[in-house]
Amino acid sequence: MVTTAPTRLSDRLSRPSAAARGVRDTRGYRVFTAVNVLVLVLVMAVTLYPFVNILAQSFSSEGFITAGQVNLVPRGFNVETYQTVMADRMFWRNYQNTLVYTVVATAIAMVLTTTFAYAISKRHLRGRSLFIGIAVFTMFFNGGLIPNYVLINTLGFKNTIWAIVLPNAISVFNLLVMKAFFENLPAELEEAAAIDGLDTYRTLLRIVLPLSKAVIATMILFYAVSFWNSWFPAFLYMDRAELYPVTVYLRNLIAGATTATSVGGGGADAMTQVAANIQSVTMVLTVLPIVCLYPFIQKYFVSGVMLGAVKG
Amino acid sequence: MTTPQHLEASSPAGGQAQSPVGERGAAAVALARTDRAGRGRRRTWRQSLRKDWQLYTLLVLPLLFLLVFRYLPMVGNVIAFRRFRPGGSIFGDEWVGLRYFELFVNDAKFWDVFWNTAVLGGLSLLIVFPLPIVLALLLNEVRRIWFKRLVQTVSYLPHFMSIVIVAGMVFQIFSVQGTVNQIVAAVGGDPVTFMQRADWFRTIYISSEAWQTVGWGTILYLAALTTIDAQLYEAARIDGANRWKQTWHVTLPGIRPTMIVLLILNIGTFMAVGFEKVLLLYNPLTYPTADVISTYLYRIGIVSSNFSYATAIGLFEALIGLTLILSANALSRRLVGTSLW
């Protein structure tokens, strides 16, 4: 059945089940409820605090930060730090790289994941369990850092976009989620398509994909967020600053600041201390797209995880 | 074979008059039908290829991807047994047997990082793994939908943050002028250089891990909680169970399969503690507690170019991981009848 509207799933998660139990509340339970609310409010406060803190620092002047006086509210309010960071051409260059890497990597990943998932969702396909096994095995055993590094270098991917967009193109988790979704589509639809003379490719493009918008949106979001956040492949395979994604730009700011303050730690780049407010501004600008989109995309992620949990 | 007449009667859409290619379509349906009816009667590979060749073409690129980017590196692990020269063959030049394994087994530094890895993994399992269960149970007792939804929305947020952002936040909050030191100063203590102190690294690592994963970790438990039959609570109530007893005897057993599956997965990744996060958070001063197997082999392999030695360590770590997950799975299948596959 095609009943995987993401809203409905997240509704189900939010349903209060305690109310349905209909036990008369004891005094002890009323105390518990109050404590419970308190604990959950505390959880929210702790979760949000770091975000509020970097936001406050990003608008504060450096003097107040080094004096340890900035927590929730900006002190010495200014937007000059924003102007400084945004005037840095390398920052925008790296931001643009992040965008390009994310879009290209997500597109490649979606093509490979969708075609693979569709083929292995056909129960009559001979060799199906072998193909599934080939994919699932990579979840539990992988080549490891050095053989991968040697491979990428041998392929000549160093300092190219391919080092970032190709090696992580199929996430087995996403693959299994999509496979589960395709398996649940009613078989009659595709039988009707076959009767109309559509071959496999056209059935996939014209019948199956239009019915799978919800799962496709979820998968695109899963991939896009993971590529947007990724830093290590670029850190490993890119030597030139103009090729970095913004996460590596940020990593270098943070690393510069720490080697400078750690006594006897770095030495070489002890001159590159980066002010906390500059770091904060860069962090704010990096998470901004995700935080802005977050309220709208959250339910898709939740439904994606649920789909995957049906049978992983 | 089913006759075409029979087919036409059973499928209203398959009218030959409406569709010019109806015959071929009907044949395809017939094939699919007989396939389903006659399960167990297997076609030969040649027949399957002829019928499903289009499906197989869809598999070509993904399988090629897995072959090159997943299985080739697995084979590339042979350089753990061979001398590797940068610029030479990616599979190494000459056999040296277990030389590199002997090297690290006799390397005291290796056993230090092995111990650090086990401690960090163990602490994560002990502290970070149960937290989502507790949070899910607390959320389950909330009656106001809007409040429950608010807590969920807020607590999922850190999951979507890049590890670089999390590291940046950790550095700011634990810095000398950061929030934690402000609290220390407020209660009259001297500022602590948390990020440079090896004795604080584990605390910082575990708390940042908890911060990022606890909310998102509740999803699967909340999903499992919605599947518990309300009649079970009713029956428990009739038997005189109070809320605490209902939680203990109905709710917890209801989410037990989920707990076990996640526990198996966690045990399997127990030795693969957050490489990227440690790499971002540690520095030479915190190596005594922070350096783990993966960061050690990163420095040996990538920074110092001892590829074969680092590969030997990596292979050892991967085999431990595989053994852990297989034994955890076998154990849970035997003890509680739940397994991953």
Side-chain angles (χ1 to χ4, degrees):
Chain A
M1 281 286 104
V2 215
T3 51
T4 24
T7 36
R8 238 171 286 162
L9 274 169
S10 55
D11 277 355
R12 211 147 59 86
L13 282 192
S14 311
R15 198 172 50 195
S17 39
R21 291 193 222 162
V23 184
R24 180 155 298 160
D25 291 348
T26 59
R27 194 159 156 269
Y29 188 71
R30 281 205 301 276
V31 173
F32 165 78
T33 312
V35 173
N36 190 16
V37 169
L38 212 67
V39 169
L40 292 176
V41 168
L42 203 69
V43 167
M44 286 198 285
V46 170
T47 307
L48 288 178
Y49 180 77
F51 292 98
V52 180
N53 188 236
I54 59 163
L55 198 64
Q57 294 204 16
S58 73
F59 286 109
S60 300
S61 69
E62 217 194 318
F64 284 102
I65 299 177
T66 33
Q69 294 179 342
V70 182
N71 294 311
L72 293 166
V73 207
R75 302 282 299 271
F77 185 90
N78 70 85
V79 291
E80 275 148 40
T81 327
Y82 277 89
Q83 287 165 348
T84 313
V85 173
M86 288 165 116
D88 182 1
R89 296 183 62 181
M90 198 49 89
F91 173 75
W92 287 117
R93 183 70 203 256
N94 290 169
Y95 214 92
Q96 194 190 331
N97 287 341
T98 293
L99 261 175
V100 173
Y101 296 157
T102 303
V103 170
V104 175
T106 306
I108 294 174
M110 282 309 292
V111 170
L112 292 181
T113 309
T114 312
T115 52
F116 199 3
Y118 183 67
I120 59 174
S121 73
K122 294 280 157 274
R123 289 182 205 280
H124 71 270
L125 187 78
R126 188 141 190 203
R128 174 180 182 256
S129 46
L130 173 72
F131 300 132
I132 296 174
I134 287 175
V136 170
F137 183 67
T138 64
M139 278 175 111
F140 301 111
F141 191 77
N142 65 61
L145 180 67
I146 306 298
N148 274 299
Y149 181 78
V150 171
L151 174 74
I152 299 297
N153 282 337
T154 310
L155 290 171
F157 284 176
K158 203 156 184 171
N159 284 319
T160 69
I161 182 175
W162 306 116
I164 294 175
V165 300
L166 277 183
N168 294 308
I170 294 182
S171 135
V172 177
F173 176 80
N174 291 358
L175 178 75
L176 295 178
V177 170
M178 269 200 124
K179 167 181 155 284
F181 183 90
F182 288 145
E183 277 171 353
N184 288 332
L185 287 174
E188 289 75 18
L189 279 167
E190 290 174 60
E191 284 170 13
I195 289 163
D196 285 346
L198 292 182
D199 59 18
T200 305
Y201 307 136
R202 293 201 183 104
T203 310
L204 176 60
L205 275 176
R206 295 192 198 156
I207 311 287
V208 176
L209 292 188
L211 285 172
S212 315
K213 280 183 195 133
V215 77
I216 290 173
T218 309
M219 292 299 105
I220 289 178
L221 288 172
F222 269 132
Y223 278 124
V225 168
S226 82
F227 288 122
W228 183 275
N229 286 338
S230 118
W231 70 284
F232 189 65
F235 176 73
L236 201 53
Y237 300 119
M238 303 296 196
D239 293 334
R240 299 205 300 269
E242 71 265 24
L243 295 171
Y244 291 159
V246 72
T247 42
V248 175
Y249 178 95
L250 180 60
R251 182 262 161 203
N252 290 343
L253 284 190
I254 298 168
T258 46
T259 39
T261 47
S262 65
V263 195
D269 35 5
M271 297 305 290
T272 55
Q273 175 154 24
V274 181
N277 51 353
I278 299 224
Q279 285 187 43
S280 298
V281 168
T282 314
M283 279 157 72
V284 169
L285 292 175
T286 309
V287 300
L288 203 63
I290 291 185
V291 172
C292 288
L293 283 173
Y294 173 70
F296 308 102
I297 63 179
Q298 187 226 119
K299 62 182 182 200
Y300 289 100
F301 280 103
V302 174
S303 64
V305 172
M306 302 274 295
L307 271 173
V310 174
K311 186 63 199 173
Chain B
M1 257 301 166
T2 332
T3 59
Q5 284 84 358
H6 169 69
L7 240 176
E8 259 202 59
S10 64
S11 63
Q16 300 232 342
Q18 288 122 323
S19 156
V21 276
E23 208 163 336
R24 204 151 34 105
V29 173
L31 240 170
R33 290 268 161 90
T34 45
D35 187 53
R36 218 181 303 162
R39 181 153 294 189
R41 188 152 35 98
R42 301 185 66 177
R43 274 179 269 117
T44 64
W45 270 103
R46 186 186 301 213
Q47 284 168 323
S48 308
L49 273 175
R50 191 178 311 148
K51 181 184 159 285
D52 286 327
W53 67 271
Q54 289 186 322
L55 276 176
Y56 286 108
T57 57
L58 291 179
L59 283 168
V60 172
L61 280 179
L63 287 178
L64 197 67
F65 164 83
L66 289 177
L67 190 74
V68 174
F69 292 105
R70 294 290 179 271
Y71 284 87
L72 212 54
M74 283 183 207
V75 180
N77 272 312
V78 297
I79 63 171
F81 308 95
R82 291 167 72 87
R83 197 184 307 282
F84 176 84
R85 231 175 355 97
S89 160
I90 71 163
F91 300 120
D93 296 321
E94 50 176 329
W95 290 101
V96 293
L98 294 175
R99 195 179 152 230
Y100 295 110
F101 289 88
E102 281 165 23
L103 219 57
F104 79 68
V105 169
N106 295 316
D107 177 0
K109 191 83 189 38
F110 170 78
W111 292 107
D112 286 347
V113 299
F114 185 87
W115 172 246
N116 283 343
T117 313
V119 170
L120 269 191
L123 286 174
S124 298
L125 203 61
L126 225 64
I127 298 168
V128 182
F129 174 75
L131 285 178
I133 302 173
V134 176
L135 185 58
L137 290 177
L138 293 183
L139 277 168
N140 196 43
E141 299 296 329
V142 173
R143 294 191 191 174
R144 290 178 212 288
I145 300 185
W146 66 265
F147 184 68
K148 186 176 179 183
R149 217 171 258 175
L150 181 72
V151 178
Q152 285 177 285
T153 305
V154 168
S155 65
Y156 295 165
L157 183 61
H159 172 79
F160 296 94
M161 295 301 117
S162 171
I163 213 131
V164 183
I165 298 285
V166 177
M169 288 172 168
V170 167
F171 275 117
Q172 303 228 331
I173 285 176
F174 289 96
S175 74
V176 180
Q177 68 272 8
T179 307
V180 177
N181 266 317
Q182 292 173 31
I183 296 169
V184 170
V187 295
D190 290 325
V192 182
T193 51
F194 288 105
M195 300 313 294
Q196 275 86 52
R197 294 267 303 267
D199 48 344
W200 277 103
F201 183 84
R202 286 173 184 149
T203 314
I204 291 168
Y205 176 90
I206 296 292
S207 47
S208 74
E209 198 70 6
W211 178 80
Q212 191 171 18
T213 58
V214 63
W216 190 250
T218 60
I219 292 185
L220 292 176
Y221 295 115
L222 289 174
L225 285 170
T226 61
T227 62
I228 297 175
D229 193 345
Q231 289 179 351
L232 287 176
Y233 289 110
E234 216 165 297
R237 211 165 56 234
I238 291 164
D239 289 347
N242 60 21
R243 279 186 186 274
W244 170 245
K245 283 192 169 148
Q246 286 178 37
T247 303
W248 187 254
H249 294 291
V250 181
T251 312
L252 277 177
I255 59 173
R256 201 174 64 169
T258 311
M259 278 162 62
I260 289 168
V261 167
L262 291 178
L263 188 64
I264 297 172
L265 284 173
N266 269 276
I267 290 173
T269 53
F270 166 74
M271 293 297 277
V273 285
F275 163 65
E276 292 188 12
K277 187 186 263 176
V278 175
L279 196 62
L280 287 166
L281 290 181
Y282 80 166
N283 64 56
L285 292 175
T286 48
Y287 282 178
T289 52
D291 203 9
V292 290
I293 298 178
S294 47
T295 50
Y296 181 58
L297 82 86
Y298 165 80
R299 288 202 312 280
I300 288 195
I302 310 281
V303 181
S304 318
S305 295
N306 291 320
F307 289 110
S308 288
Y309 187 26
T311 306
I313 297 177
L315 189 59
F316 180 68
E317 191 191 14
L319 288 176
I320 292 179
L322 195 63
T323 314
L324 279 174
I325 199 157
L326 289 178
S327 30
N329 196 41
L331 203 67
S332 95
R333 192 189 330 221
R334 182 159 312 163
L335 293 182
V336 281
T338 311
S339 78
L340 280 180
W341 51 80

